[in-house]
Amino acid sequence: MAEHFKEASRCRGCLTYLEKPVYLQCGYICCLQCVNSLQKEPNGEGVLCPFCSVVSQKKDIRPNSQLGALVSKIKELEPQLRAVLQMNPRMRKFQVDVTLDVDTANNHLIISEDLRSVRCGYFQQYWRTCAERFIYAICVLGSPRFTSGRHYWEVDVETSKEWDVGVCRESVNRQGVVELSSELGFWTVGSRNGDLFTASTVPLTALLVGPRLHRVGIFLDMDIGIISFYHVSDGSHIFTFTQVSAAEPLRPFFAPANPIKDDQGFLRICPVMNPGTASFPVSPGRGK
């Protein structure tokens, strides 16, 4: 809810809180001052909507005072919203020792001896034949299986430009082409080209992620059916899936970069840390 309020209050033009919001003829909303930055109608005075190209004349642009009042209230609540969207340091007490399950790994994946690091190579590794192995998709599952409770782990993505991490159902398709979709049992976030981040909703949800994302924190609560992702370096929230089904076991999911697109990309599962020796950033005014 906090994320929804924050997103709904943002101007799509300047990406800050809406100031004196107005809406065009098609319903597009932006700041009053941002109207001047919109593309102008050829040989006319109207402006074009950046999404649907509907032309709005000056008389069509109307203020939205009710939304303006709501945004002002949300700005007042900014400290509380930041606290809600901040990683809770107590999550670390649910940290689990996750390792890679070699028997599920695609044959092009190279897995370290400690079963924590994975990257994709150009040549097949000729793992032994297993019914649970991904045949076409460049991915691997983690152990253990989760059937209930709360679980937390962290994944280093370092400078990899392409990756997907999260959880999936035990029964997901492993023989054919894999489509990362929450409707098909994959709850993941991922990166493309190093600057495009998405969540595997239907349709995909574009994510606003802070710079220098090198480590992702993943918190799964099967008792209430959510999985949340966090930017570990600053504790900021990335995305939360709700209504995650616990009808069958869930597995940690990892998909490193295709070497054709990113030959330096790899994923590494972080070892379990003592809760007393590490902490996450804490928002001002938030209790420990």
Side-chain angles (χ1 to χ4, degrees):
M1 187 182 295
E3 184 66 47
H4 176 73
F5 282 148
K6 189 174 181 180
E7 182 64 27
S9 303
R10 183 182 291 116
C11 173
R12 295 183 179 180
C14 61
L15 299 180
T16 59
Y17 278 117
L18 286 160
E19 291 286 346
K20 298 180 179 179
V22 297
Y23 58 92
L24 306 187
Q25 185 176 11
C26 62
Y28 175 81
I29 298 175
C30 64
C31 300
L32 177 61
Q33 62 182 9
C34 291
V35 173
N36 297 326
S37 64
L38 297 178
Q39 184 179 352
K40 299 297 188 295
E41 174 191 17
N43 304 318
E45 298 182 354
V47 295
L48 301 176
C49 171
F51 288 95
C52 66
S53 298
V54 169
V55 177
S56 296
Q57 302 298 329
K58 187 175 182 180
K59 62 181 178 60
D60 299 321
I61 302 173
R62 301 182 179 181
N64 192 327
S65 56
Q66 186 174 6
L67 177 59
L70 177 61
V71 172
S72 296
K73 186 62 178 178
I74 292 175
K75 287 174 69 175
E76 294 179 13
L77 297 173
E78 173 71 13
Q80 291 92 322
L81 291 177
R82 285 185 178 275
V84 169
L85 295 174
Q86 197 75 9
M87 180 186 287
N88 189 327
R90 290 188 290 271
M91 287 180 185
R92 194 179 290 278
K93 74 178 184 179
F94 300 107
Q95 192 168 13
V96 290
D97 188 17
V98 174
T99 56
L100 300 170
D101 183 352
V102 175
D103 287 343
T104 67
N106 177 278
N107 277 323
H108 281 85
L109 294 182
I110 302 171
I111 296 176
S112 62
E113 290 186 5
D114 65 359
L115 304 180
R116 294 188 184 278
S117 182
V118 58
R119 64 183 178 87
C120 184
Y122 288 99
F123 306 103
Q124 290 194 28
Q125 303 303 302
Y126 296 104
W127 300 110
R128 69 187 181 94
T129 301
C130 292
E132 58 264 40
R133 190 175 307 286
F134 285 94
I135 302 301
Y136 295 104
I138 303 176
C139 55
V140 59
L141 301 186
S143 294
R145 296 168 173 81
F146 302 128
T147 58
S148 63
R150 300 172 182 174
H151 313 277
Y152 175 80
W153 63 100
E154 296 177 0
V155 182
D156 273 334
V157 300
E158 293 298 334
T159 58
S160 181
K161 297 179 181 179
E162 182 172 320
W163 49 265
D164 296 280
V165 297
V167 300
C168 69
R169 294 192 191 114
E170 176 83 53
S171 63
V172 293
N173 171 40
R174 308 187 195 186
Q175 304 303 310
V177 176
V178 169
E179 177 186 353
L180 297 185
S181 161
S182 56
E183 291 186 350
L184 299 177
F186 293 91
W187 295 275
T188 64
V189 299
S191 170
R192 297 294 180 270
N193 301 320
D195 56 5
L196 175 63
F197 298 90
T198 57
S200 62
T201 53
V202 181
L204 290 175
T205 298
L207 304 175
L208 292 173
V209 178
R212 298 179 297 279
L213 174 61
H214 299 313
R215 182 177 292 191
V216 180
I218 303 172
F219 179 68
L220 171 66
D221 189 333
M222 295 191 69
D223 295 337
I224 62 175
I226 67 167
I227 178 171
S228 298
F229 299 82
Y230 295 92
H231 189 319
V232 172
S233 66
D234 63 9
S236 60
H237 174 259
I238 296 175
F239 189 77
T240 291
F241 289 93
T242 59
Q243 299 181 336
V244 176
S245 174
E248 65 177 273
L250 301 182
R251 302 284 298 274
F253 176 87
F254 308 88
N258 186 319
I260 296 176
K261 299 180 180 179
D262 181 8
D263 60 2
Q264 300 298 316
F266 74 95
L267 300 175
R268 179 164 181 80
I269 305 168
C270 303
V272 174
M273 298 180 66
N274 186 327
T277 63
S279 62
F280 301 126
V282 178
S283 297
R286 180 174 179 156
K288 298 181 180 179

